Structure formats: structure tokens, C-alpha cells
Amino acid sequence: MAKKKITKRVSSQVKKLPDASRVAAAAPVIELGERGATSKLIIVGMGASAGGLEAVSQFLRALAPDTGMAFILVQHLAPDHDSMMPHLMALNTRMRVLQVADGMALEANCVYVIPPNTQMRIAAGLLQLAPRPERAQFMPIDFFFNSLAEFAQSRAAGIVFSGTASDGSLGIREIKAAGGITFAQAPQTCKFEGMPRSAIATGAVDMVMGPAEIAVELGRIAHHPFLDGEELPYPTDESREDVLEPRLIRIFAMLRNATGVDFTHYKRPTIRRRLQRRMVLHKITNIDQYIKYMQHNPAEISSLYQDILIHVTRFFREPESFGLLNARVFPTLIERRQADMPIRIWVPGCSTGEEPYSIAIALSESLGEDAHRVPIQVFATDVSNTAVEHARAGFYPESIAADVPEDRLRRYFTKVDGGYRIIKAVRDRCIFARQDLTRDPPFSKLDLIVCRNVLIYLGSAIQRKLTQVFHYALKPTGFLMLGGAESIGPHSELFSIADKRHKLYQRKSSTVRADMEFRPGDKDMGRSGQEEAKVQAEPKRTNNAQTEASRLILARYSPAGVVVDSEMRIIQFRGQTGAFLEPAPGEATLSLFKMAREGLLSGLRGALAEAKRLDAPARKQGLRFNSDGLDRKVNVEVVPLNVPEGRHFLILFEEMSDSVGRDGSAKRKQAEKKGAKAGKGVNEKKAKGGAATTGELEHLRDELAASREYLQSIIQDLEAANEELQSANEEILSSNEELQSTNEELDTAKEELQSTNEELNTVNEELQGRNEELSHVNSDLVNLLGSVHIAIVMVAGDLRIRRFTPMAEKVLNLIPTDVGRPISDLKPNIECPNLEQLIHEAIDTVTIKEQEVKDRAGNWYSLRIRPYKNVENRIDGAVLALFSIGASREARDYAEAIISTVREPLLVVDDEFNVRSVNRAFLRMFRVAAGETEGHGLFTLGNGQWDIPRLRMLLDDILRRDAVFEDFEVGCDFPEIGRKVMLLNGRRVQRSQGLAPLILLAIEDVTGRDGHPQG
């Protein structure tokens, strides 16, 4: 019946609104590309749960109906009831409100609502529905946000409204990483703060506002040019890159000065997307304006830095890759592990720690029963300090249940309020540290490196360097796993492919030395960012016709030659060198001197010696040599090459025209053939023989002269080397004496180091024992605080929260992530505006402060603040304790009402004998005001009439022994009323636990009775 009434009321309200179909017909339908890259439509995903209806209604009421955006609401709904959400939403907006059907296309200025008992994703511009999965943790908001980030990229926006638990936290990170805009409802405006607080704790929320303010902000950025498809920079007469690159260099300089990280060699498309995103948030359309904004707002530099470093990760990301690790890599590492040696793994770019923890868990499962005996070291590094600190804490929202199977959650996680915490055994195996891959040295002797989705953000020069660094860091049989879009590039000599599909590589033995420094003069690293961007942006084109033409011209017209290193090994052949060089018999070699043909050796040696000595080109002309039975003449030129790899030489062979024609045939051979055909006479043959003998003699003389010259250069080199050796010998002798004395010092130092090592071992054992003791004490403290049903909060000297009990979470509305935050940033669920002042007074005056406070539900508590003392008895903060005094306050109010109506004078005294309160009968009898009495010492009232030694003793007995006294007669003179004779009655008033007792003192005036004198 109730449901029918609601339906009827909603229907009547809908009829009063403008025709929704007419509004929707005016809205343009946007054609979407495959991944949203070409679409102009901005898609806003909204996640809400308990209390979300009110928040979304406020949002829609403040939202303009013509923003040109599409709005999709994912609400936690009852699975077995029809949803009234579309009807209720329609009451608050003029936009068309639709319940999603499978395959529905998106239109601008429309609101789409998820139906109950389903989960929804967006792909190819269509909303797709699937049945609710059968698992304990159902996270429909995260599921939709993930698909929205993948599809819409920078045109996605995500909003987390009121709700419990943590659904939406992982998805909001995905949207921000894709370049979208993220919002969260301000917790103080929520009915339930769980979801917004969890999203804010990820650090991925751009703006925290009330629902109406979020609507206004979306309206402001809806028509920003960057969201309409324009990119940095705007078109000008100059080249786009020429305009942008100098400005990027200025931004990189500001980031480097503020954070110490150099983004010069990061990929330009990533940098541009992050810049555009920050400019959209600040409504800036010009990069020069944004640079000025950064200069005047240093906090923006930090925000841009965090935006550039944002990475998305999940537990057991890409399960198939973890299946490969379990099936192939981990068994190999376990089998090859030497006794007492740890398995060492490095995870660079670890982000918030999900991946290293996943690897540690997977390896522990592979070890089985040996997991506790085999040491595991998982080094996890990231350039972001914030990410590293989050990873060390090991605390994650409840939404990780979508990625972590239930059995692993029970075994490796501890359920805490607001999420899960990795167990200590796994945290101890993961070592987190800040590291800049582009500058800091790597780890060594590693079994496995898992570097996924890190290289894709870096330029090609950095990628090449890091590939060499990874090769250096791994053991000879170590493994390297990269992301799906990454590869080792041209370094196939360093790694072999172990699994091509999952980008698993195994280290090869190689003589390539890893270059750990990025020198400014490096050819690749010295390339400007603009050039690097052009290299990355331009596709590699190869014109086969031009290349083949160039090869033919070089082969036909350029002289043949070789390039040799400083040890005369040939490293490159240029052109046809077969006429001058041939392989030597025996073991294969590329030695120039062993491959030179007969007759060339002496001339080559002389030319090389001259080129070495003068460091200039050297030339030898007319060298005679024998090739294929023919005598030839060649000019040899040696050119030194100064390259970073060391001294090299280019050797060119220019065959002389009188021995070889252009077509390569020997003229002498042609002459012999012509002579044979003409049938020359004997005399001509003798003449030719004589000429040949003369030519051979000339050739031998040339060789002898060259040999003498070469020998003379060798003798000179030997003499110079001999002199150097003699001086070096003298230096060695003196150095030997120094080394002997140094050796004695080293022996002494060795003994000292041995003793120091023993001391360090002892200290290490003590530290291990203390760590175990500390662990036990911490466990005891956690259990103690968990079992105490008192709201206790410990704060440091700077008022940052250290610890709190579970009761404090309920009473003060705290969550685990509030640890480390200043208490001034929180709004506890009690009415105490001067809370900070009370804490500072308790710390400064080293006194206990008490005050009665009331929570929002009207419950009364006694707030007690005492200084926090460390083991050295130094004040290091404060401890806040809240005691419920609901019943005692009622009793006190009841007692005060009784006392105020009693006609006998009464007063209440505390344990310091200060008057806490008096009744009206007392004020009338002694003719005093309440301000003259309350808060003053009993023995100082008036002229000290009450300072009676016997009365002091009686009151003291009440406090110490819970005694009672009756009819204690006293007589006092008062200025206003004269002399009074009184009977005093006193008894103890016990208060609630932890509070000091009070004394109730009743006064009976007996002046003038039974012989007592009258005043």
C-alpha cells in the first residue's frame, strides 16, 4: 500500500513538470568513438549509497539542464525490489531521467540510473548490464568507474556521494589516472561519511565539496576548450612544439627545484595530458597563465607533481601474469636458491604497494610449508614519498575484496574498521623505499624484477638505460617481467624471451657494461625534449629505393675500407675488401695484421704507427701486393676516429689505375693475353723478363724502406717505453714501501673490524630481542585498547592523533585513516569548541582538565584531558578520555534540585576544600552572593571565620576514611549578621569512577536556643 501511494504521488508530481520527452528531443545525440577519444561528450559517473538520494537530489537541483554532459548514477539498491530512483530524480531536474536498459546509447543532458540487482559498464558508447555477481563483496561503483575511465579517458568525471564502506575508492583512482576530474562530497554534509572519506584517503580526489557546489563547479568547467578536444598549445603561426617546448622546460625546472625529480625525459603526451587536466581544474586556457599561477601558488607545483606520478594498481593485477610466475618463475627460483640465501625481488614503481604485496603472497603460497623458513626480500620503490608511506602502512579499503579471493583475505589480511590491513608477516618481507629510477643506483644480485607499466611513461633514451640497469641488477639466471605495452627494445643481446605474451625475459650473459649515470653529453640523453618528442611522434619510415641507391653508389665509387679498434681488431667492413684482406689459416680471427694480404703488412703497420703518433691521417702510396696471382699497387690511408668507445681507425684502400681498371680487370693480364696471341719473339720475352726483374727489385726496395721506417718507429717507441718503465719502476719501489706500511695498518684495522663486527652481532641480537619484545608489547597494547570500553584518544605535541580505542571511533566518529591527522582537521561528534585550547592548557600547565560535553545525540560525557608522559617523564602530548555520565548527570540534577529547595543552609566542598556550590538558604542566612562563595576556599570565606583547626581535621577524616560527623558546634562572628552559633553535619559524596569525592556540609542555626547566646 505504501509503495502504491508513493508511486501515485510521484506520478502526480511528474505531470506538473515540463514535458521530459520534449527536453530530451532538444538534446543532441553524440556519436562516440571506440574509446571515446573522438567524442565531445563528457560523461559524469556518480556513486552513492546510504544517504545518497538526498545528496544526488541537491546536486541535480543546482545543476543547469544544458551542460551538454551525460550523467550516470550507480546507486546501491535493494536487489529484490523495483527502484523508484528514476521517478525521484525526475522531481529535481528538467533533464530526462532514464533507467538503464542493456545496450542503451548515451545522449547529452540526460540522467541514467542503474537498475537493481545488476552491475553496469560502458563500452563503445553503450551502457551494458550484467547480472549481479555471486560474491560477498559487491562493488558496482568501482566496476562502472573502471570501465568509464577506460572508455572516456580525459572526458570522464567521477563523483562519490554519501554512503557507507568504501565502494568507489578504487574506481576514482582509475578515473584520475586516465586524466578525468574527480569529486567527493564533503563529509560534514553527508549522512554517512564512509564512501567519501575512503575516496578522499586515496589522494585521488580533486575537489571536496557539498553536492550543490559540485554541480556549480561542473557547470564552470563543462565548456572548457580542452574538454572540447583542443590540446596544448593553441594553434599559432609557429610550430606547436616550438611554442610548447620552452614552456615545458620552465615547468620542469620548477618541478625539479621543488621535488628533486627531473621530468625532462618523460613522454610528452603524458605530460601534456596532466597539464591540461590541471588547467581545466583551475579554469585556465593558456599555458603561460598556468605558469604564472604556479609561480604565485607553490602548492600547485606539488599538485602537478602528484598528478604526473599518479599510477593505478590493484592486487593481483593481470592474474594470467601471476599464474606464469607461480607456474614457471617461482619454482625455478626456489630450485636454484642456495642454502641460507634469500630470494630477492625488486618492484620498481610500486605505487601504493598492491603489487609487491601480491608478489610476496604468491611466492609464500609457492613455498608452501617452507614459507616461514625461506627468507624473502621484496624491494619495492617509487619516486613518490606519499605512495611509499601509504604502501608501508599496508591499509586498503574494503573494495579490494573484488580483486583478492576470500581465502587470501582471511589468510593474509586483518579486517579493521574501514578496510583491511596486510598481516605483519607479509609486511616484514616487503621493504619500501623512495627511489628515482633515472638517478638512484639499483639493487643487485636479484632473482626477479617486476617493472610493469613504468617504462611506458619514460622516453626511449631512459628506457634503453634502464634495460641495461636491469641487466646489471639481475643474477646470471634472473628474470625480468614488463608490462603488456613494454619491451626490452633493441637490447636482445641482454635478455632472451621466456614468454612473449606476458613479456617475461631471462637474463643473458653479456659483456655490455651498464651505464649507471645519465651524462649530459650522452648522445641520446643529450637530445632535447623537443627532439625526443619528434622521434617518438614520427613513425619510422624507410624508403627502400633510396637506401638501395645509396648502397650501390657507395659500393661502386667509394674506396673499400675497414674500421678497427685500438687493438687492431676489425669491427666493420666497408665495400669490397676481398682484394686486400683474406681470412688467415687456423683459428678464426678478425685481426687486421693477420688478414692483410702479402705485401701490405709493412705499409699498414707504418701508416698506423704514424697515425697513432701524430693523431692525424697518415698515407702510404704505391704499396705493392699480390692478390689472386696478380701484382697490384694500392694507396693506403689511415684516419683516426675519436669516439666515446675509445680510439678507432678508418683504413681506406685506393687501388692505383695502372694495376686495376675501372671494371676491376688487370691491364697487365690483358697485355699478356695480347702478347700471347701476337706470338712475340724470344728477344721480347727476355726484355719483358728483365723489366719484371727490375720491377721486383723496386718493390723489394720499397718494402725494405717501409720495414726500416716501421722498425725505426718501433725502436723509438721501445726507447720511450723503456724510459717510462724505469721511472715507473722507481715509483713502484717507493709505492711498495708505502704499501707495506699500509698493509700493517690494514692488519691492525682488520683486527679492529673483527672486534667491531662481534659487537655489531651482539647488538643485532639485542635489537632482534627488543623488536620481538616491542611486537609483543604492541600486541598487548592493541588488545588492551580494544577491550577497554572507554573512548580514549592519544595526541602528540602537535595535536596529531597517535592512537584511539574502538569506543572512540564510535563516540567521536573517527576512522583508521585519521591516525596522523591533526585533531583540529576533524570534527568530532561532541560539542566542545575550545577542545584545542583545553589540550594546549593541559600540556603547558601539566594539569588535568575536565569538562562536561554533549554529543549530537544529546548524551553527556565527562571529558578529561591529562598530559601524556613518555618513559623519560617528558610531556609529549595529551590523552583524552570520555566517560559517559548520562545517569550520574540525571542524579546530580536531581540532587541539586533537592538541595536548592532545602531550607537548611548547605554547601558542597571538593577534595581541595574549595566551595563547589551553595544553596539559596546559605546565601540568605549569611547575606552573600554566589560569586563571593562558589570557587573560593572554605577557610578563606569572609574574614576567615571558617578556618577552625578541628573542622579541618573532621573534613580531612571524611576524605581519607569516609568518616561522618554530626552536631559539631561552632560559634563565629560575622560582620553583617553578628554572632552565630551553628551545628555542622558533614558526610562524603562518592562520584563516578575516576572522579574525586565531594563533601556535603549542612548547617543548623541554634543561636538563642537552649541557653545559646543570641547574636
Side-chain angles (χ1 to χ4, degrees):
M1 292 296 294
K3 184 176 179 182
K4 290 182 179 178
K5 291 180 180 179
I6 293 174
T7 306
K8 186 179 293 184
R9 185 168 65 251
V10 170
S11 300
S12 63
Q13 293 292 333
V14 171
K15 291 178 181 178
K16 298 177 182 179
L17 295 174
D19 188 352
S21 61
R22 289 198 299 270
V23 175
V29 178
I30 306 298
E31 295 294 333
L32 297 172
E34 182 180 354
R35 291 176 57 86
T38 60
S39 168
K40 298 289 185 179
L41 182 62
I42 302 169
I43 306 174
V44 181
M46 303 179 291
S49 184
L53 175 59
E54 179 181 346
V56 176
S57 299
Q58 294 176 13
F59 171 78
L60 292 177
R61 282 197 295 269
L63 187 68
D66 56 351
T67 60
M69 301 178 176
F71 300 88
I72 304 171
L73 174 62
V74 181
Q75 168 86 22
H76 288 182
L77 301 170
D80 51 355
H81 295 287
D82 293 337
S83 173
M84 298 293 297
M85 288 296 293
H87 303 290
L88 298 175
M89 294 295 99
L91 298 175
N92 298 284
T93 179
R94 288 187 293 161
M95 292 186 290
R96 189 180 181 189
V97 181
L98 302 170
Q99 183 166 284
V100 175
D102 190 30
M104 181 176 285
L106 292 178
E107 297 180 10
N109 301 322
C110 289
V111 181
Y112 301 86
V113 182
I114 187 173
N117 203 28
T118 59
Q119 67 179 11
M120 178 173 60
R121 68 188 299 267
I122 182 171
L126 303 176
L127 295 174
Q128 301 174 354
L129 300 178
R132 173 173 177 163
E134 297 180 359
R135 61 170 181 264
Q137 292 289 340
F138 176 50
M139 301 292 178
I141 301 174
D142 277 331
F143 185 81
F144 176 73
F145 279 4
N146 291 344
S147 68
L148 176 62
E150 182 180 359
F151 170 74
Q153 299 289 310
S154 61
R155 290 183 178 82
I159 309 174
V160 177
F161 287 117
S162 173
T164 58
S166 60
D167 195 9
S169 299
L170 298 181
I172 213 77
R173 292 174 60 184
E174 296 275 359
I175 291 176
K176 182 168 184 177
I181 311 297
T182 56
F183 300 86
Q185 184 178 352
Q188 60 268 25
T189 67
C190 298
K191 283 191 174 180
F192 297 91
E193 305 176 1
M195 281 173 40
R197 278 192 177 273
S198 181
I200 295 168
T202 64
V205 174
D206 294 314
M207 300 183 189
V208 180
M209 302 175 172
E213 288 80 3
I214 295 176
V216 173
E217 193 64 28
L218 272 176
R220 289 176 180 172
I221 67 176
H223 303 294
H224 195 284
F226 291 159
L227 294 179
D228 290 338
E230 296 190 24
E231 295 184 357
L232 286 172
Y234 289 111
T236 64
D237 294 337
E238 303 175 76
S239 166
R240 291 166 61 91
E241 291 298 336
D242 291 341
V243 172
L244 181 61
E245 187 62 25
R247 291 156 176 81
L248 287 181
I249 292 174
R250 291 178 61 187
I251 292 174
F252 293 154
M254 286 189 282
L255 288 168
R256 184 169 56 250
N257 294 335
T259 66
V261 179
D262 187 1
F263 291 98
T264 304
H265 299 287
Y266 278 57
K267 286 189 176 178
R268 289 301 186 269
T270 301
I271 300 295
R272 282 200 295 266
R273 285 196 299 269
R274 298 304 178 194
L275 280 174
Q276 288 180 195
R277 186 179 177 283
R278 297 303 307 173
M279 292 170 69
V280 168
L281 288 174
H282 297 293
K283 281 78 73 178
I284 297 174
T285 59
N286 184 281
I287 191 169
D288 291 321
Q289 294 175 0
Y290 182 68
I291 292 175
K292 292 181 181 178
Y293 183 82
M294 292 177 66
Q295 292 171 343
H296 292 91
N297 299 273
E300 177 61 19
I301 299 176
S302 177
S303 299
L304 176 61
Y305 170 70
Q306 295 297 336
D307 258 25
I308 295 176
L309 294 181
I310 186 70
H311 298 299
V312 176
T313 183
R314 299 193 306 273
F315 280 99
F316 302 99
R317 178 179 51 173
E318 299 174 9
E320 293 182 355
S321 298
F322 278 91
L324 178 64
L325 292 175
N326 289 325
R328 178 170 180 178
V329 177
F330 291 156
T332 304
L333 300 184
I334 296 169
E335 181 183 353
R336 293 175 181 174
R337 186 184 76 89
Q338 299 178 0
D340 300 328
M341 291 295 293
I343 296 176
R344 293 165 59 86
I345 301 173
W346 181 21
V347 185
C350 67
S351 190
T352 48
E354 286 90 336
E355 188 156 68
Y357 283 135
S358 300
I359 291 172
I361 290 172
L363 181 54
S364 299
E365 292 176 344
S366 294
L367 288 168
E369 297 179 355
D370 295 332
H372 298 290
R373 293 190 292 270
V374 176
I376 299 173
Q377 295 176 340
V378 180
F379 301 99
T381 62
D382 198 276
V383 74
S384 171
N385 272 325
T386 305
V388 170
E389 291 174 2
H390 187 248
R392 283 200 188 109
F395 176 81
Y396 298 96
E398 293 178 347
S399 51
I400 65 169
D403 299 316
V404 183
E406 189 175 350
D407 57 335
R408 281 176 171 165
L409 275 177
R410 289 196 306 268
R411 186 174 180 183
Y412 299 106
F413 294 81
T414 302
K415 185 72 171 69
V416 295
D417 287 345
Y420 295 92
R421 189 180 299 278
I422 299 284
I423 63 173
K424 188 174 184 297
V426 177
R427 291 205 310 271
D428 289 345
R429 291 174 175 174
C430 297
I431 304 165
F432 293 94
R434 184 191 180 279
Q435 182 189 46
D436 187 348
L437 286 177
T438 64
R439 297 192 309 171
D440 298 332
F443 300 94
S444 60
K445 298 180 180 178
L446 298 167
D447 298 287
L448 170 66
I449 297 176
V450 180
C451 181
R452 300 198 292 175
N453 299 333
V454 175
L455 299 182
I456 57 175
Y457 297 101
L458 306 175
S460 57
I462 295 278
Q463 290 184 15
R464 289 193 294 271
K465 292 287 184 181
L466 290 181
T467 304
Q468 296 182 18
V469 168
F470 292 158
H471 181 271
Y472 161 81
L474 285 168
K475 291 180 179 178
T477 56
F479 291 92
L480 169 66
M481 177 174 278
L482 301 178
E486 299 167 336
S487 68
I488 59 171
H491 294 291
S492 57
E493 75 280 4
L494 301 179
F495 294 94
S496 60
I497 299 176
D499 189 288
K500 185 176 182 179
R501 180 183 177 189
H502 298 101
K503 299 302 176 71
L504 180 66
Y505 302 90
Q506 189 163 16
R507 185 185 189 274
K508 284 182 180 180
S509 296
S510 175
T511 58
V512 175
R513 178 179 176 273
D515 189 355
M516 300 300 175
E517 296 181 2
F518 299 116
R519 300 181 299 272
D522 191 298
K523 179 179 179 182
D524 292 329
M525 297 297 295
R527 178 187 295 155
S528 69
Q530 179 179 348
E531 294 171 347
E532 180 67 33
K534 289 181 179 179
V535 170
Q536 296 172 7
E538 294 176 357
K540 295 182 178 179
R541 302 185 182 90
T542 303
N543 192 317
N544 295 328
Q546 294 180 5
T547 303
E548 183 64 15
S550 299
R551 187 188 66 79
L552 290 174
I553 292 172
L554 289 173
R556 177 167 297 186
Y557 297 106
S558 65
V562 293
V563 178
V564 298
D565 58 16
S566 58
E567 297 180 2
M568 299 301 118
R569 287 193 302 266
I570 299 173
I571 62 174
Q572 185 185 28
F573 293 92
R574 302 179 65 85
Q576 299 296 328
T577 59
F580 317 104
L581 305 173
E582 65 176 346
E587 185 179 355
T589 180
L590 289 176
S591 172
L592 175 67
F593 295 146
K594 291 185 179 181
M595 295 185 66
R597 287 190 180 272
E598 180 183 354
L600 287 179
L601 184 58
S602 59
L604 275 174
R605 282 178 171 169
L608 281 165
E610 183 179 349
K612 278 185 179 180
R613 184 175 67 256
L614 301 177
D615 194 20
R619 187 177 180 88
K620 295 293 182 182
Q621 295 184 343
L623 298 181
R624 295 179 180 272
F625 68 101
N626 184 276
S627 176
D628 298 329
L630 298 177
D631 290 334
R632 299 186 177 187
K633 295 176 68 177
V634 66
N635 298 328
V636 176
E637 186 173 3
V638 179
V639 181
L641 303 176
N642 293 319
V643 292
E645 292 80 5
R647 177 65 67 84
H648 286 63
F649 298 92
L650 172 64
I651 302 173
L652 300 174
F653 301 99
E654 301 176 1
E655 193 161 4
M656 298 178 66
S657 58
D658 59 349
S659 60
V660 178
R662 184 170 181 175
D663 58 355
S665 60
K667 289 185 176 180
R668 184 176 298 169
K669 191 171 183 179
Q670 293 175 355
E672 289 177 356
K673 289 180 180 179
K674 291 179 181 178
K677 291 179 181 179
K680 298 291 183 178
V682 176
N683 292 333
E684 293 177 353
K685 289 181 180 180
K686 288 182 179 180
K688 184 183 291 186
T693 302
T694 303
E696 289 177 358
L697 287 175
E698 291 179 358
H699 176 62
L700 290 175
R701 288 192 187 97
D702 292 340
E703 285 189 357
L704 181 59
S707 298
R708 286 176 177 171
E709 184 178 350
Y710 179 68
L711 181 60
Q712 183 64 30
S713 65
I714 290 178
I715 291 172
Q716 292 176 355
D717 292 343
L718 286 175
E719 289 177 350
N722 190 36
E723 293 178 358
E724 293 178 359
L725 286 174
Q726 287 179 354
S727 60
N729 188 40
E730 295 175 357
E731 293 178 0
I732 289 173
L733 290 175
S734 60
S735 298
N736 188 38
E737 296 176 357
E738 295 178 1
L739 287 174
Q740 287 178 352
S741 61
T742 303
N743 191 38
E744 295 175 358
E745 295 176 1
L746 288 175
D747 289 337
T748 305
K750 181 183 178 182
E751 296 174 358
E752 295 177 357
L753 285 175
Q754 288 175 345
S755 60
T756 303
N757 190 41
E758 293 177 3
E759 294 177 6
L760 288 174
N761 288 333
T762 305
V763 172
N764 189 40
E765 292 177 2
E766 292 179 0
L767 289 176
Q768 288 179 350
R770 291 183 181 180
N771 283 337
E772 293 178 1
E773 182 181 352
L774 181 61
S775 179
H776 291 311
V777 170
N778 192 47
S779 299
D780 294 342
L781 179 59
V782 170
N783 284 278
L784 176 62
L785 294 178
S787 60
V788 172
H789 294 289
I790 301 174
I792 299 175
V793 179
M794 301 179 186
V795 297
D798 57 357
L799 304 193
R800 292 184 181 272
I801 296 176
R802 285 178 172 168
R803 286 181 183 269
F804 50 80
T805 60
M807 184 62 69
E809 294 186 41
K810 300 177 181 178
V811 175
L812 298 176
N813 197 23
L814 300 176
I815 60 175
T817 53
D818 288 335
V819 173
R821 295 179 62 189
I823 199 168
S824 58
D825 290 355
L826 307 178
K827 291 189 176 180
N829 192 24
I830 58 173
E831 297 176 0
C832 186
N834 61 335
L835 179 59
E836 295 179 55
Q837 180 182 351
L838 288 174
I839 298 174
H840 282 301
E841 289 178 359
I843 295 174
D844 296 339
T845 61
V846 196
T847 57
I848 299 174
K849 297 293 180 181
E850 291 187 27
Q851 183 172 323
E852 293 182 357
V853 296
K854 183 174 66 173
D855 64 9
R856 296 175 185 172
N859 300 315
W860 282 91
Y861 296 89
S862 174
L863 172 63
R864 177 177 296 180
I865 305 173
R866 64 169 60 243
Y868 178 102
K869 296 182 180 180
N870 58 21
V871 293
E872 298 176 355
N873 204 30
R874 294 181 179 177
I875 304 302
D876 191 22
V879 180
L880 287 69
L882 284 168
F883 302 92
S884 177
I885 57 172
S888 61
R889 184 176 179 86
E890 291 178 4
R892 190 185 71 179
D893 293 341
Y894 179 69
E896 287 179 352
I898 294 174
I899 291 174
S900 64
T901 58
V902 172
R903 293 190 175 185
E904 285 189 353
L906 298 176
L907 54 81
V908 179
V909 182
D910 61 16
D911 58 342
E912 299 291 335
F913 305 126
N914 295 316
V915 178
R916 294 288 295 271
S917 64
V918 296
N919 67 351
R920 283 179 284 184
F922 182 92
L923 300 176
R924 285 197 303 267
M925 177 177 174
F926 295 100
R927 299 178 186 177
V928 293
E932 299 174 6
T933 306
E934 293 179 352
H936 295 75
L938 173 65
F939 303 124
T940 63
L941 293 179
N943 295 326
Q945 296 93 339
W946 299 96
D947 191 7
I948 304 169
R950 177 61 180 165
L951 180 59
R952 282 180 178 269
M953 292 177 58
L954 291 173
L955 295 177
D956 190 58
D957 286 344
I958 290 177
L959 292 175
R960 289 191 294 107
R961 297 186 296 172
D962 196 12
V964 177
F965 70 86
E966 295 179 352
D967 297 336
F968 172 62
E969 183 177 327
V970 297
C972 302
D973 294 321
F974 297 93
E976 296 290 334
I977 61 175
R979 183 170 181 80
K980 289 287 183 181
V981 179
M982 298 165 288
L983 296 179
L984 305 183
N985 300 287
R987 67 174 54 250
R988 179 171 176 171
V989 179
Q990 188 64 44
R991 303 170 72 192
S992 59
Q993 184 179 6
L995 299 179
L998 301 175
I999 301 173
L1000 178 62
L1001 196 61
I1003 304 171
E1004 182 181 356
D1005 185 6
V1006 295
T1007 305
R1009 280 195 236 165
D1010 298 333
H1012 291 290
Q1014 198 164 358

